[in-house]
Amino acid sequence: MSTTSGTGGVSYRNGTQRSSLRTQSSASTSSGGQKASVKSKSVLRKSSPAALGGGSSKSGGGGDAGVPGRVRVAVRLRPRNGEELIADADFADCVELQPELKRLKLRKNNWDTDTFEFDEVLTEYASQKRVYEVVAKPVVEGVLDGYNGTIMAYGQTGTGKTYTLGQLGEEDVADRGIMVRAMEDILAEVSLETDSISVSYLQLYMETVQDLLDPSNDNIAIVEDPKNGDVSLPGATLVEIRDQQSFLELLQLGEAHRFAANTKLNTESSRSHAILMVNVRRSMKTRDGLSSESNGNSHMTKSLKPPVVRKGKLVVVDLAGSERINKSGSEGHTLEEAKSINLSLSALGKCINALAENSSHVPFRDSKLTRLLRDSFGGTARTSLVITIGPSPRHRGETTSTIMFGQRAMKVENMVKIKEEFDYKSLSRRLEVQLDNLIEENERQQKAFVDEIERITVEAHNQISEAEKRYANALEDEKLRYQNDYMESIKKLEENWSKNQKKLAAERLALGEKNGLDITSNGNRSIAPALEEVSELKKLLQKEAQSKMAAEEEVNRLKHQLNEFKKVEASGNSEIMRLHKMLENETQQKEKLEGEIATLHSQLLQLSLTADETRRNLEQHGSEKTSGARDSLMSQLRLPQIQDPGNAEKPPVARLFEQVGLQKILSLLEAEDADVRIHAVKVVANLAAEEANQQQIVEAGGLTSLLMLLKNTEDETIHRVAAGAIANLAMNETNQELIMDQGGIGLLSSTAANAEDPQTLRMVAGAIANLCGNDKLQTKLRSEGGIAALLGMVRCGHPDVLAQVARGIANFAKCESRASTQAGTKRGKSLLIEDGALSWIVQNAKTETAAIRRHIELALCHLAQHEGNAKEMVKEGAMWELVRISRDCSREDIRSLAHRTLTSSPTFLTELRRLRVDIR
Ligand code: ADP
Ligand code: MG
């Protein structure tokens, strides 16, 4: 590929040079100003006289800085050829060269000449080497430094353009032209390991770009990068060059193809432009100025800088013969062909004029050639133009126009830009390598670190165990030493003791012998203090013994005391226990007494009522006229009942009394005094326990009062007793309806919800259970929360309560099953199941408590009789309980009931079959 992008380039325009280089006509031929301008120009061209292209690469100085540029123009005169030598033998050449003055004199006629100044004037004797060095070398050096460069040859056909540019020099090395020498220089300069050279070779004919390396590729598009203006020919063959020989072969191949193409198109090479493009891509190791400032950090910073790649493009253009501009059409070309042939060349001329005049518009787009040269000519590149002329006066016109072309080109300024970019890929590669190295290094260091830790640990362990050993040894030594010391001192003491014993014995003996003798003798004096000492010791010993005995006594005394305390404590505990028991007994006694008191109270009430009534009767019998004003309020109230025609015959006195007394008792249910209320409710409950009393109680409004008590009091005892009474009353069907009508379910439910005492709950549950047995009340009971209340009470867990709950459920289920079989209508599933009773039933089906179990078994059997429940029962596991009941139940009737229900339900049968259960 050709150059594609360039960044980092800096350009500037050297405006001063333009005016100083103006040399055009004979009018200014010998002016000193011209000379001065020539000199100033040569000063600016820093490198050698050979530097035509705006200074050598080195003159670029600070790398990024642009290079002053102007199209450098050299003129080259071809030696007379054989024909000219003969034909023009008598004529003087039309030009006279003054190479040392870099001037060319064009003879207008025998008496007048025009003088032109060029950057280089190359005579017919100029060697190819010299031409290369002054025309091409600076440009090539620029390309190696990353600038684009162009070398063009312009001139009439046969004046040596191809000779100058394309001569291969295979026979004579001295003949090698610019292309060959340029490649030699490039190859010598680059490093093939890091740099690359690629070449395209093209022909531009009739505004068509043809690939000279691949003739089939004959319409190559020119592409301009809108961002940086780089021109490229992506369609052109690009050949990598690694040595001179392959380049020569490539040139030959191109030449052969050019010849073939021209034959095919019936044209000649002079009508086409040949274009060689050499792309040089170089990796710069270090940037100028960076390499010198190396300190500790520079390694890193440098390595983070992407490597710089310089891309230079050298374009060598062997233009079509310049005579075409003027002579086209006059040589029998079709107009179209002439236009096409000339288009590029005349466009080049126009562009050069526009550039020379610093015009705002340069018509680069007018032709393929100018589009192709856009980034290589008058733009950002270094450009050298060699104009070739022949000596023959016969071609004076052509020669003159060629010279004028060269003169105009000399005024074209270039903005020379370095084509440089950062090679992030290779930086990334390099960094990756660095990273890998660092990772490896890190791994090594980690390993070393771990090893070191291990080593230190082992060492520490060793040191510790050594220290321990040393310590143990030292301890052992010390122990031994002490033992020895101890033994020795014991031995010494023993020796001393035996010595003393002996001494003592001897002294005693001596004492005995000398009895009655002089007691002031030395012997006596030495024994006396010893005896004293002994007696003192004895005394001391005695004292010690005494105090020991005293201490022992004290200890014994304390022990004794302790025992006493313990005994007292134990007796205290038993006392407490005894008192507890007493308290319990007392409480029981109290309760009993309370019950008795209640009974007595009621008896008293009854007695007093009886007495009242007797008195009244006596009075009535005695005096018919006595007004009823003295009658008790109660008797008045009950009068209509007493006079009830049904009882008119002669009600028993006791019964009559009872009725009157009952009313009074019931009125006491609403007494202010809580005690009275409690006693009253107990009396009522006692009465309600007797079936015979129930009707009267209800008729006297007792049921209502009892229900009111549930509502209006918060006393749990009252609740318990009242609920018990209600439960008793609820045995009767009529009463059941009354209870329901008076909102009994609601009252019982709230009582149940608030009660803690299992006995209260038992009573409430009993009452509801009774209500559950009424066929007519099923729906109402359920809708008012009766079943929910029942199920709520299982929280208490007391077997008595559970038994009542189970009884209620069984009652309810029984009614339901009865209703379903009687009505024969298919109803939905049981209300019990809907209220969630089934899971409780299943959970408790195996309970140990017989009362609960019996009810549950019955409930299951009843539920199972309704097919609408079957599915749910299967799901909840109730069917298994039925199976179990049908096998294990101790009661024959329930067993067979369970069996019957199982075998008569299609759902159960299907399920049992599915599970391969045989129930026989
Ligand atoms: P152009 O390419 O401009 O048409 P050529 O390069 O083909 O001209 O040159 C025409 C002839 O003149 C060729 O035979 C070439 O060898 C010869 N010739 C041109 N310039 C020189 C020179 N400086 N010295 C010797 N022979 C030359
Ligand atoms: Mg030629």
Side-chain angles (χ1 to χ4, degrees), residues 295-341:
N295 52 39
N297 295 334
S298 72
H299 169 71
M300 211 54 200
T301 47
K302 223 190 286 172
S303 65
L304 280 174
K305 253 195 191 320
V308 173
V309 172
R310 286 188 177 170
K311 291 174 171 179
K313 180 170 73 168
L314 175 68
V315 183
V316 184
V317 188
D318 187 352
L319 290 166
S322 62
E323 71 282 0
R324 298 293 164 197
I325 289 178
N326 309 315
K327 289 187 180 166
S328 61
S330 65
E331 288 180 2
H333 298 293
T334 66
L335 190 62
E336 204 51 40
E337 191 186 15
K339 264 193 207 161
S340 295
I341 292 167

Side-chain angles (χ1 to χ4, degrees), residues 76 78-79 156-163:
R76 186 181 197 186
R78 171 177 53 73
Q156 194 185 352
T157 301
T159 51
K161 297 184 295 296
T162 307
Y163 179 81

